[in-house]
Amino acid sequence: MSETKFLTPEEVTERYRGGVSLGTLRNWRTQKIGPSFIKVGKAVLYPMEELETWDERNKVQCSASKQSDEHAGDQP
């Protein structure tokens, strides 16, 4: 059986250090944007796996990081 961890909207707000408010999460849910979530009765839960996937999709790659990634392939 899978040991999927879920976060409440309050915990998601803490995860993003207040950069995403409860109101924003609520708006995103109604607009079907933002990280995927599940609803069990009235409880809204965000699977950690989905948050990590969402983080990756929204990652901004900086040019310095791209250069170091390219040079990492040159190493023996």
Side-chain angles (χ1 to χ4, degrees), residues 15-34:
R15 174 186 167 95
Y16 295 109
R17 299 179 180 162
V20 177
S21 70
L22 291 173
T24 297
L25 290 172
R26 187 173 28 256
N27 289 338
W28 285 351
R29 289 192 302 270
T30 61
Q31 296 174 31
K32 304 286 194 260
I33 61 175

Side-chain angles (χ1 to χ4, degrees), residues 4-72:
T4 303
K5 180 170 168 60
F6 296 93
L7 297 182
T8 65
E10 292 80 10
E11 291 169 325
V12 173
T13 297
E14 288 177 28
R15 174 186 167 95
Y16 295 109
R17 299 179 180 162
V20 177
S21 70
L22 291 173
T24 297
L25 290 172
R26 187 173 28 256
N27 289 338
W28 285 351
R29 289 192 302 270
T30 61
Q31 296 174 31
K32 304 286 194 260
I33 61 175
S36 298
F37 63 94
I38 63 168
K39 198 160 183 190
V40 181
K42 291 183 179 183
V44 174
L45 299 171
Y46 291 88
M48 277 296 287
E49 294 170 357
E50 293 294 328
L51 292 170
E52 290 167 1
T53 299
W54 189 69
D55 290 346
E56 282 299 313
R57 283 195 315 257
N58 289 287
K59 185 187 289 185
V60 176
Q61 190 73 33
C62 297
S63 59
S65 295
K66 287 180 187 176
Q67 290 173 357
S68 64
D69 288 345
E70 291 170 3
H71 293 297

